[in-house]
Amino acid sequence: MARKKTKKGKAPGAPPKRPPAVSWWDRLPGATQHGLCLALLLLVTVGFFAPALFSGKSLVGSDTVNWRATAEALITYREATGQEALWDTNVFAGMPGYLISFPKKIPQIDLLPDSLRAFAWPVSHFLFLLLGAYLLVFFLTKDRLSGVLVACAYGLTTYLPILLVTGHNTKFVALCYAPWLVLAFVYALRRPGLLTGLLFAVALAVHLRAGHVQITYYVAFLLGLWWIVEGVGAVRQREAKGFGAATLWLALGAALALLMVAQPYLSTFEYKDYTIRGATTGGGEGGLDWSYAMAWSQGLGELVTLLVADAFGGGGATYWGPKTFTAGPHYVGGIVLLLAALALWRYRRGAVWALGLGTLLMTAFALGENFPLLNRLMFNVFPLFDAFRVPETWLSVVALALALLAGLGLFYVARREPSREDEARKTTSVYVAAGAALGLVVVLLLGKGLFFDFERPDEYQLLVQQIVSGNPGVSPDDPRVAEAAQRFLDETTAERAKKFTADAVRTLLFLLLAAGALAAYRKEKLPGWAMQAALAVLVVIDLGGVGRRYLNEDALQPARDAERLIARYGFDDFILQRRDEAGGMGRFRVLSLEANPSTNARPSFFHESIGGYHGAKLRLFQDYLDHLLVDRATGRLSENGLDLLNTRYVVARSPLPGTRLVYQDQQTGLSVFENPDAVPRAFFVGQTEVVATPEETWARLQDETFDPNQVALLPEPIDFATTPLDSSSTAAVTLQRYGPREIAWQVETDAPRLLVVSEIYYPAGWQAFVDGEAAPIYRADYLLRAVPVPAGAHEVVMRFEPTSYRTGLWVAGVSTALVYGAIVALLATAWLRRRKTEATA
């Protein structure tokens, strides 16, 4: 039967009249194409990081400086002894150093970028990010230029330079390794076998060793969704057997990866149960408080910053969104969103469904408290969801998913269809998607006043309070106050609207250029390689331009080492001199009120501080900050709270009850006050008192009549009878050695007594010995240690010897050797087999 003709004489669905000409790009060998793509990525890297590479300055963020101050005691001990301290004596009166400075002792493949870090940071890891993203897309599509676009789209997403400027280095490294983890997962899923399972183990282990479990958790969530989508597809296509085999190899790889990171994670996992992220008050299982975990939730309207960078003012002082503050937006750009939307609409593949579902759910998670219907459920039910804070961090993995979708969308657009009908349908889809994207930006531009009021939450009321506080005697109801506040607010919102307009026009311009390139290709006015290259260049200019607002020469520091940026004041020298006169470390602690002591790490660089900076404090110490350091009745520092932790000196601007002035620092305006009532670092008590609940213990410790030198409060009875202290009693304690791994005292007592040690109670590693014999360590005064000592002269030693550390080293070492050895053996066997086949051919 003759086919029906169209009016032009062509049958519907007939192939194009002539095949498209083969371009110079297509004629290049694959290796040459790879080389040119990688050269382009190297050029992008050098161009973007030029300020850090050629200015003579360094990229040292504020969080890096805080970390360096926090880690000083650990680093000093390591350099002096060649061993790991494991316990940080200078932060929050002492805490495990696992999440502060805990080097990876077992070498793995990440040793390569780490070895470059000293002189090529952050290029050392950024190049691995670009290469991983490029290879991932090439594996999925065999399209090199789509891989270039994805690498640039993900690598230059604004969140990454912001992380570098603020000093969130471990998060940056984890995000750099994320494409490799996804690649290893997809590779094992599509080519199941022992080798691919082992490669997945290596990738997962490296990602965990980056030191930011939150990012690993988020990427694993995305991979879990991908696995579900692939599983459903395998069942529908009756390929469940192959999918099951791939799942088993992935499970084996995941198990091996966990063994390979037993150091440092065995100790870290053990530590979690005692922190604010794993324990409730008084011990036990728990997680973060909802309000604490949901801080920095992304506002629903603020999601527009994915498309319009400064829609909410950018970062810093100009930011007007719902978060307390932010360093900048999670900007991915209009071109990436356009291509991602095309993939979701027209390119129906399992990978697209998985990435689309992941993008949707992870964006909802980023909304945190602004989407409680979902996030309350996840927080209460889903494993480990309650262990992490700052929900907007989910958007860092959303950026990866969107970049991958954009690459798949570009591959879909660039691929020619076998018939004119399919080509026409694809062209229509491209035009519709581009038009919709342009229309959305135009609507935002024209209706910005309808969608946004450009005001911070409660900003008017805050302005009124500021005006009143600066003008004593003026009432908040005074019309002049309202007029001044409204006038200032009108001027401010006008500036914010202007900033929104500028960036919306900028996005519109890039979308117009991208739409032009797409249209030229669809009309065969532009070859495919040129269209793809043009879009990649536009993405680099777009994202790189916004990223340069944050990573520029002004954001760099003149010093390469963070420790040189830690200020040293006259009062520090005064206190250090008092420490040397007292005999060195272990004699007293310091509280500095120069800033919030629970977020200020600077004093920890110099002193044994009861303040510090850390996101996973011990639960017991957080309770001390919340319930013991400050007297609830007066709002002032509690004298007993200071005394308990051997706080001899307090740095403050004004006198404190129970202290005396000993030094004034003219440079800072701060003074040093001595607390003569601070308990010694170790002392005998003659009485014990059992207090059942934490609340009762806190109240008793806050009581002015309570004397910690005489009585130790215990959570439960102990099998040890103490003898009261009186004027005829003899009890002496002399410190012999003090360090993070061992503390030793020579003690003497005329009767059995309890030795209370002003060190933070942490049963997962600290052991006590009296004359070489093991002795129990009890928890006293809520957060201190106590050891029963019989009458007579004795040596009491406490050692920090966590079994988890020794076990972790052994397990990680053996499993790493087995995995890497097996990979080498499998590759060598395959190579030999191929050589043999070639020789006999």
Side-chain angles (χ1 to χ4, degrees), residues 241-555:
K241 184 177 180 180
F243 176 77
T247 300
L248 289 175
W249 291 121
L250 283 169
L252 174 65
L256 289 171
L258 294 177
L259 295 175
M260 293 165 70
V261 297
Q263 192 283 323
Y265 279 100
L266 195 60
S267 297
T268 303
F269 184 76
E270 177 183 64
Y271 170 60
K272 174 186 174 293
D273 289 340
Y274 296 90
T275 71
I276 58 175
R277 297 181 182 236
T280 56
T281 293
E285 294 297 326
L288 292 177
D289 174 74
W290 164 262
S291 60
Y292 181 75
M294 293 295 115
W296 279 271
S297 295
Q298 185 80 353
L300 181 61
E302 200 174 358
L303 290 174
V304 77
T305 57
L306 292 166
L307 178 65
V308 180
D310 279 0
F312 277 72
T318 60
Y319 172 73
W320 58 271
K323 296 189 281 282
T324 305
F325 63 86
T326 189
H330 291 261
Y331 178 65
V332 299
I335 298 173
V336 170
L337 291 173
L338 166 60
L339 293 173
L342 263 172
L344 289 168
W345 181 29
R346 301 298 300 172
Y347 191 53
R348 306 296 174 82
R349 297 292 187 277
V352 174
W353 288 114
L355 292 168
L357 180 61
T359 297
L360 178 64
L361 283 176
M362 293 188 296
T363 301
F365 296 156
L367 297 175
E369 64 185 357
N370 298 313
F371 191 9
L373 181 65
L374 172 66
N375 288 312
R376 272 285 187 183
L377 175 66
M378 293 293 292
F379 187 84
N380 293 330
V381 175
F382 203 79
L384 295 179
F385 196 90
D386 63 346
F388 306 110
R389 60 189 298 261
V390 190
E392 70 162 339
T393 306
W394 281 98
L395 292 178
S396 62
V397 184
V398 169
L400 172 61
L402 287 172
L404 291 173
L405 283 170
L408 295 174
L410 180 58
F411 171 69
Y412 163 78
V413 171
R415 188 186 63 185
R416 291 295 183 183
E417 298 299 332
S419 69
R420 286 187 175 182
E421 186 179 66
D422 291 338
E423 275 289 286
R425 188 181 298 111
K426 178 177 288 189
T427 299
T428 301
S429 299
V430 171
Y431 289 168
V432 169
L438 290 166
L440 174 61
V441 179
V442 170
V443 168
L444 288 173
L445 263 172
L446 297 179
K448 59 180 181 290
L450 296 175
F451 302 121
F452 309 104
D453 58 13
F454 299 100
E455 291 185 23
R456 288 179 179 271
D458 302 320
E459 188 168 13
Y460 176 81
Q461 289 78 5
L462 292 173
L463 285 171
V464 169
Q465 293 174 12
Q466 291 174 10
I467 295 171
V468 171
S469 63
N471 297 274
V474 176
S475 169
D477 299 325
D478 191 320
R480 294 172 299 174
V481 173
E483 181 183 355
Q486 191 61 54
R487 183 171 59 251
F488 180 85
L489 189 59
D490 290 342
E491 294 173 355
T492 303
T493 54
E495 283 298 316
R496 292 167 181 167
K498 184 177 179 181
K499 198 169 187 178
F500 176 97
T501 299
D503 261 10
V505 169
R506 184 181 184 278
T507 295
L508 187 63
L509 175 61
F510 278 105
L511 279 173
L512 283 170
L513 293 173
L518 290 169
Y521 172 65
R522 298 312 306 171
K523 293 181 178 181
E524 299 187 10
K525 303 295 185 183
L526 194 68
W529 71 266
M531 179 271 294
Q532 290 178 288
L535 291 181
V537 169
L538 287 173
V539 166
V540 170
I541 296 173
D542 180 14
L543 298 184
V546 175
R548 181 66 79 238
R549 299 174 185 177
Y550 303 95
L551 199 159
N552 50 51
E553 193 166 339
D554 294 337

Side-chain angles (χ1 to χ4, degrees), residues 279-285 619-620 623 693-695 698 715 779 782:
T280 56
T281 293
E285 294 297 326
R619 175 80 263 174
L620 289 177
D623 290 341
T693 68
E695 292 76 14
W698 300 332
R779 180 162 64 92
Y782 193 71

Side-chain angles (χ1 to χ4, degrees), residues 487-737:
R487 183 171 59 251
F488 180 85
L489 189 59
D490 290 342
E491 294 173 355
T492 303
T493 54
E495 283 298 316
R496 292 167 181 167
K498 184 177 179 181
K499 198 169 187 178
F500 176 97
T501 299
D503 261 10
V505 169
R506 184 181 184 278
T507 295
L508 187 63
L509 175 61
F510 278 105
L511 279 173
L512 283 170
L513 293 173
L518 290 169
Y521 172 65
R522 298 312 306 171
K523 293 181 178 181
E524 299 187 10
K525 303 295 185 183
L526 194 68
W529 71 266
M531 179 271 294
Q532 290 178 288
L535 291 181
V537 169
L538 287 173
V539 166
V540 170
I541 296 173
D542 180 14
L543 298 184
V546 175
R548 181 66 79 238
R549 299 174 185 177
Y550 303 95
L551 199 159
N552 50 51
E553 193 166 339
D554 294 337
L556 305 180
Q557 299 291 346
R560 181 167 294 275
D561 297 325
E563 61 186 284
R564 297 183 182 179
L565 300 173
I566 300 172
R568 180 168 182 156
Y569 302 120
F571 64 78
D572 293 315
D573 294 327
F574 172 82
I575 296 173
L576 289 171
Q577 185 177 353
R578 302 289 84 74
R579 186 192 70 184
D580 293 340
E581 292 171 355
M585 298 285 288
R587 269 68 184 185
F588 59 77
R589 292 195 180 91
V590 177
L591 171 63
S592 179
L593 300 178
E594 63 196 78
N596 185 340
S598 65
T599 58
N600 180 26
R602 193 206 67 84
S604 299
F605 187 84
F606 302 101
H607 315 295
E608 294 170 74
S609 172
I610 66 170
Y613 175 78
H614 203 273
K617 293 187 286 292
L618 287 169
R619 175 80 263 174
L620 289 177
F621 197 86
Q622 184 63 56
D623 290 341
Y624 168 82
L625 294 175
D626 294 340
H627 304 287
L628 293 175
L629 181 58
V630 177
D631 189 319
R632 293 289 181 179
T634 64
R636 299 195 302 263
L637 288 176
S638 165
E639 293 188 46
N640 275 351
L642 291 174
D643 294 346
L644 277 174
L645 287 184
N646 182 229
T647 312
R648 179 61 51 83
Y649 295 105
V650 179
V651 179
R653 296 189 181 277
S654 56
L656 300 168
T659 66
R660 62 186 183 91
L661 177 66
V662 292
Y663 180 82
Q664 288 182 303
D665 190 334
Q666 300 301 322
Q667 176 189 2
T668 62
L670 293 163
S671 299
V672 178
F673 298 92
E674 185 176 12
N675 175 29
D677 297 329
V679 301
R681 190 61 68 90
F683 56 96
F684 282 111
V685 295
Q687 294 176 264
T688 61
E689 182 179 328
V690 176
V691 184
T693 68
E695 292 76 14
E696 291 175 313
T697 305
W698 300 332
R700 188 81 172 90
L701 291 171
Q702 288 272 22
D703 190 338
E704 294 181 357
T705 63
F706 175 75
D707 184 359
N709 290 284
Q710 296 291 329
V711 181
L713 304 183
L714 304 175
E716 55 189 20
I718 62 175
D719 186 19
F720 183 78
T722 61
T723 303
L725 286 165
D726 54 36
S727 57
S728 63
S729 302
T730 59
V733 180
T734 304
L735 181 64
Q736 292 182 315
R737 300 183 302 278

